[in-house]
Amino acid sequence: MSILTNLKNDTKAAHVRVEKVMVKELKAINSLEDYGKLLERLFLFYNPLESKVHQYIDQSILPDIERRKHTQWILKDLNALNYTVNTSTESKTQQITSTAYAVGVLYVMEGSTMGGQIISKMLKKQLGANTSTYYFDSYSDETMDMWLSFKNSIAQYETHLDKEEVFKGANETFSSLKEWLELTSILENISE
């Protein structure tokens, strides 16, 4: 059984927990301002994490790693909304200390593109067909191809990876995202 099959099973509970929080967040979006606030919180979580991942994973592991920069899409959406990000509150992301851990983190980021297609449609229905959803659309029509490419590249490299570190990276990313969304939601409500 491949490491990614095991990873999917090992992270299922953490994935479901963060998914519940995200669905609640998405259903609460009633305006473009609400959408901008969620995008900002996602940017503040993923931006430092994505930078760290790209320090460990290069083209020898994932030939198309340069295409896998999701925070640029968040910024594109925020720009379309004329929303300015307050970067003074970036999340204190987990420490990435190995390539295996970084693969686990990237598994979460890349896997989110699959659900992003559904979220994009949901947001366009809630906020209007012209709503900018580059982040959730991610690779658009290429999403499945990019996911399969990710899986194939990792499968070819998996003998070099510490399986437990990959699992730890993915589980901690799911958990950290859930905690970040819950914390920043509380802080947002206090400041209003």
Side-chain angles (χ1 to χ4, degrees):
M1 197 178 288
S2 79
I3 195 169
L4 290 175
T5 302
N6 287 329
L7 185 57
K8 182 178 181 180
N9 295 331
D10 186 73
T11 60
K12 191 172 194 164
H15 182 204
V16 167
R17 285 191 293 271
V18 76
E19 195 172 70
K20 284 181 182 176
V21 172
M22 183 60 101
V23 167
K24 181 179 174 186
E25 292 278 344
L26 292 165
K27 286 182 176 179
I29 293 174
N30 294 314
S31 67
L32 292 174
E33 184 179 349
D34 292 345
Y35 177 44
K37 287 178 183 178
L38 176 61
L39 287 171
E40 177 184 39
R41 290 163 52 215
L42 291 170
F43 178 81
L44 294 172
F45 178 80
Y46 281 121
N47 191 49
L49 197 57
E50 184 175 78
S51 296
K52 292 176 187 176
V53 164
H54 283 259
Q55 291 172 11
Y56 281 91
I57 298 177
D58 61 22
Q59 292 177 337
S60 68
I61 299 166
L62 197 56
D64 59 0
I65 187 64
E66 288 305 309
R67 286 193 65 199
R68 298 175 187 276
K69 293 184 177 176
H70 302 277
T71 55
Q72 67 186 353
W73 296 325
I74 298 174
L75 288 175
K76 194 169 184 175
D77 287 332
L78 288 166
N79 188 45
L81 295 170
N82 293 318
Y83 194 100
T84 304
V85 177
N86 177 3
T87 56
S88 66
T89 57
E90 272 193 354
S91 87
K92 305 291 187 253
T93 58
Q94 64 261 31
Q95 293 299 309
I96 298 177
T97 57
S98 70
T99 299
Y101 190 97
V103 166
V105 173
L106 192 56
Y107 168 83
V108 174
M109 294 167 74
E110 288 300 312
S112 71
T113 65
M114 303 302 286
Q117 303 291 300
I118 297 164
I119 292 169
S120 175
K121 289 176 186 165
M122 181 178 153
L123 287 167
K124 286 179 184 275
K125 187 175 181 180
Q126 282 173 243
L127 301 172
N130 294 327
T131 302
S132 179
T133 57
Y134 290 104
Y135 172 66
F136 291 110
D137 280 333
S138 59
Y139 307 115
S140 194
D141 294 340
E142 295 180 80
T143 299
M144 183 55 75
D145 292 338
M146 290 295 286
W147 176 244
L148 293 174
S149 171
F150 171 76
K151 287 173 54 173
N152 291 336
S153 294
I154 299 309
Q156 291 175 8
Y157 192 79
E158 74 178 75
T159 58
H160 304 283
L161 297 171
D162 177 338
K163 182 175 82 169
E164 295 307 314
E165 275 293 294
V166 175
F167 291 4
K168 182 179 176 186
N171 274 312
E172 287 184 2
T173 303
F174 278 129
S175 295
S176 294
L177 177 57
K178 176 187 173 289
E179 290 167 12
W180 174 255
L181 289 172
E182 289 172 334
L183 173 67
T184 55
S185 178
I186 291 167
L187 293 175
E188 231 175 54
N189 290 333
I190 290 171
S191 68
E192 289 179 352

